[in-house]
Amino acid sequence: MASSSFLPATTDSIALALEAKSPSESISILYRILENPSTSLESLRIKEQAISNLSNFLTQEKRGEDLRSLLTQLRPFFSVIPKAKTAKIVRGIIDAVAKIPDTSDLQISLCKEMVEWTRAEKRTFLRQRVEARLASLLMENKEYSEALALLSGLIKEVRKLDDKLLLVDIDLLESKLHFSLRNLPKAKASLTAARTAANSIYVPPAQQGTIDLQSGILHAEEKDYKTAYSYFFEAFEAFNTLSDPRAVYSLKYMLLCKIMVNQSDDVAGIISSKAGLLYLGPELDAMKAVADAHSKRSLKSFESALRDYKAQLEEDPIVHRHLSSLYDTLLEQNLCRLIEPYSTVEIAHIAELIELPIDHVEKKLSQMILDKKFAGTLDQGAGCLVIFEDPKSDAIFPATLDTISNIGKVVDSLYVRSARIMA
């Protein structure tokens, strides 16, 4: 620690630390307060306050390793305070490390250390929460198999204890993990389990918002964008009330749903609403650019939006999942618009108009013909697309088929009757 001479654990010492000229001086004073060997109730209360202030100062100074060593140094102190307070302090310090950028590896190793310590000290309540945090960090680090193995054991243990609040957290985390692994049925099953557990207890608004956000993501994955929109709206309202930074992502996914159901014109209205104006920035600008490109059916504008807002669109895994299908839809709309006036047109001419390679356009046109998006054929010898007029269905054919079918039924029933008479 910083100095061999300890300071008395009093409010005056805390005030001295807070009034210090520099953060490093404040940190030194707070360390000296923690060195005080007194274990009276008042000194323990002051030390808790000193730990909280010290965590804040170390976070401001981005001293992640010092926060890690602080947790180790505090272990004797944890033996003289209640277990609930120990849990609060440990989770507070882990949260403090999380506020320092680029410390994911440090957080993972810190959580692993704390899991070992809690297991040795038989502090089950704290261990389960630190393990849940560790699984979340492993998932963010894309170490999915290790996170899944950790969660599988943890879920069984927590179900036996019937700790509903922690169970909601873990089930929700498992749902996100399965979604990252593209296992949609298991992701939905875990989310249902989280909802079931949440229905029997009071769930904080932030947690309810997280459940709604995950529900929206899963419905969007199933192309049920209207239901997804309603869930994203619920999540947005919860996060907006709490001033949670996830509110902007909920709003962004609401706009994505509007675009995916061909209601791009509504996007500008949502952004200019009272709630939308609070979150103006690159996230909403990106969605507005995509909406504009979609409403104009402009592939060029769409590609420039992807290029200009790469971080907000392609690097967001949720939005990125839907962009490829949106791009395909836009490409089909563009091709349909270009071939509308023609009965026969050169593929090279279409490729030139749409500013894409010929082979890419040819492949897409053949796919559209097979999917019956329009009637036509590719004349590869001449390098042309021949478009047929939409064949008008003649009402006489279905009527004739129905008549023949009914006659068949009558003949069958007469045959059954005659067979009975003959018998």
Side-chain angles (χ1 to χ4, degrees):
M1 287 194 186
S3 172
S4 56
S5 59
F6 62 80
L7 284 173
T10 61
T11 49
D12 291 342
S13 299
I14 295 284
L16 184 69
L18 298 176
E19 288 164 10
K21 291 176 183 176
S22 67
S24 55
E25 197 180 327
S26 299
I27 290 166
S28 174
I29 293 167
L30 290 166
Y31 268 128
R32 287 169 66 193
I33 295 169
L34 293 178
E35 283 182 338
N36 191 315
S38 171
T39 55
S40 68
L41 285 174
E42 180 60 20
S43 63
L44 289 177
R45 189 182 65 78
I46 296 295
K47 282 181 186 178
E48 283 172 37
Q49 202 177 331
I51 291 164
S52 174
N53 291 326
L54 183 56
S55 298
N56 292 337
F57 279 118
L58 290 173
T59 306
Q60 285 170 25
E61 295 293 295
K62 295 183 169 57
R63 287 162 63 172
E65 281 295 341
D66 286 354
L67 282 165
R68 179 186 187 167
S69 56
L70 175 64
L71 261 183
T72 310
Q73 290 160 3
L74 288 173
R75 285 178 188 179
F77 175 69
F78 292 151
S79 61
V80 294
I81 62 169
K83 287 185 176 181
K85 283 189 176 176
T86 301
K88 186 182 174 184
I89 292 168
V90 169
R91 288 161 72 187
I93 293 174
I94 292 170
D95 287 342
V97 177
K99 290 174 187 171
I100 303 170
D102 304 321
T103 55
S104 59
D105 292 337
L106 175 64
Q107 288 176 64
I108 288 169
S109 62
L110 175 60
C111 285
K112 284 179 178 175
E113 275 178 26
M114 289 315 295
V115 166
E116 285 172 20
W117 179 75
T118 49
R119 192 168 270 125
E121 293 284 314
K122 294 187 173 67
R123 294 177 184 246
T124 308
F125 176 87
L126 177 57
R127 176 179 58 77
Q128 288 169 345
R129 276 148 185 80
V130 176
E131 279 186 338
R133 181 62 175 268
L134 176 59
S136 173
L137 290 165
L138 290 169
M139 187 183 79
E140 285 170 21
N141 235 27
K142 294 185 169 54
E143 294 175 36
Y144 299 127
S145 54
E146 194 178 340
L148 201 56
L150 184 62
L151 278 181
S152 301
L154 192 57
I155 284 174
K156 288 174 189 170
E157 198 179 330
V158 174
R159 281 213 175 107
K160 282 179 190 171
L161 294 172
D162 205 32
D163 185 342
K164 289 279 198 296
L165 198 58
L166 181 58
L167 197 57
V168 172
D169 269 338
I170 296 169
D171 282 331
L172 205 49
L173 191 57
E174 191 183 34
S175 176
K176 290 177 185 175
L177 188 56
H178 284 307
F179 178 71
S180 300
L181 293 167
R182 306 299 294 268
N183 191 337
L184 202 58
K186 283 194 174 180
K188 284 171 72 181
S190 298
L191 182 64
T192 305
R195 280 191 174 283
T196 306
N199 285 339
S200 58
I201 53 162
Y202 167 74
V203 177
Q207 187 116 352
Q208 188 58 54
T210 310
I211 292 171
D212 288 333
L213 185 63
Q214 183 67 7
S215 300
I217 289 167
L218 295 184
H219 277 285
E221 186 69 12
E222 292 183 313
K223 307 279 187 269
D224 182 2
Y225 294 110
K226 287 188 177 177
T227 310
Y229 179 87
S230 62
Y231 276 120
F232 287 137
F233 181 73
E234 291 291 335
F236 172 70
E237 287 207 315
F239 294 143
N240 185 35
T241 309
L242 299 165
S243 300
D244 191 303
R246 287 176 292 177
V248 71
Y249 294 105
S250 305
L251 184 56
K252 181 180 173 182
Y253 301 149
M254 280 165 61
L255 300 178
L256 175 70
C257 291
K258 284 289 182 188
I259 295 166
M260 296 306 288
V261 292
N262 296 320
Q263 293 177 0
S264 303
D265 297 339
D266 294 351
V267 168
I270 295 168
I271 291 173
S272 58
S273 67
K274 188 182 174 184
L277 290 170
L278 297 170
Y279 298 98
L280 287 177
E283 300 290 347
L284 298 194
D285 290 344
M287 297 317 292
K288 191 172 187 304
V290 172
D292 289 344
H294 187 259
S295 58
K296 290 174 189 169
R297 292 203 295 181
S298 168
L299 207 60
K300 197 173 181 181
S301 302
F302 187 81
E303 285 177 339
S304 68
L306 289 182
R307 205 167 40 249
D308 297 343
Y309 298 101
K310 191 178 179 185
Q312 289 77 24
L313 298 173
E314 294 206 0
E315 289 172 21
D316 183 325
I318 311 301
V319 175
H320 183 65
R321 282 175 190 266
H322 302 280
L323 283 181
S324 57
S325 65
L326 190 63
Y327 180 84
D328 276 352
T329 307
L330 210 53
L331 180 56
E332 284 174 10
Q333 287 176 350
N334 265 267
L335 288 170
C336 286
R337 187 180 63 180
L338 289 173
I339 64 175
E340 264 169 5
Y342 301 103
S343 58
T344 305
V345 60
E346 287 184 355
I347 297 167
H349 178 61
I350 298 171
E352 189 184 328
L353 289 174
I354 207 165
E355 296 176 355
L356 285 173
I358 294 174
D359 58 336
H360 184 66
V361 172
E362 192 175 325
K363 188 178 175 184
K364 188 64 190 173
L365 286 169
S366 65
Q367 187 187 329
M368 286 170 73
I369 292 166
L370 290 170
D371 290 344
K372 296 183 180 174
K373 296 285 166 73
F374 67 89
T377 185
L378 288 168
D379 184 346
Q380 287 179 311
C384 289
L385 169 70
V386 180
I387 301 117
F388 306 140
E389 284 187 22
D390 288 336
K392 290 176 183 175
S393 58
D394 198 327
I396 197 164
F397 295 123
T400 307
L401 288 170
D402 286 343
T403 306
I404 293 167
S405 173
N406 290 331
I407 290 168
K409 286 176 186 174
V410 170
V411 170
D412 288 342
S413 64
L414 287 170
Y415 174 76
V416 170
R417 283 185 183 182
S418 65
R420 281 178 190 162
I421 292 163
M422 293 294 285

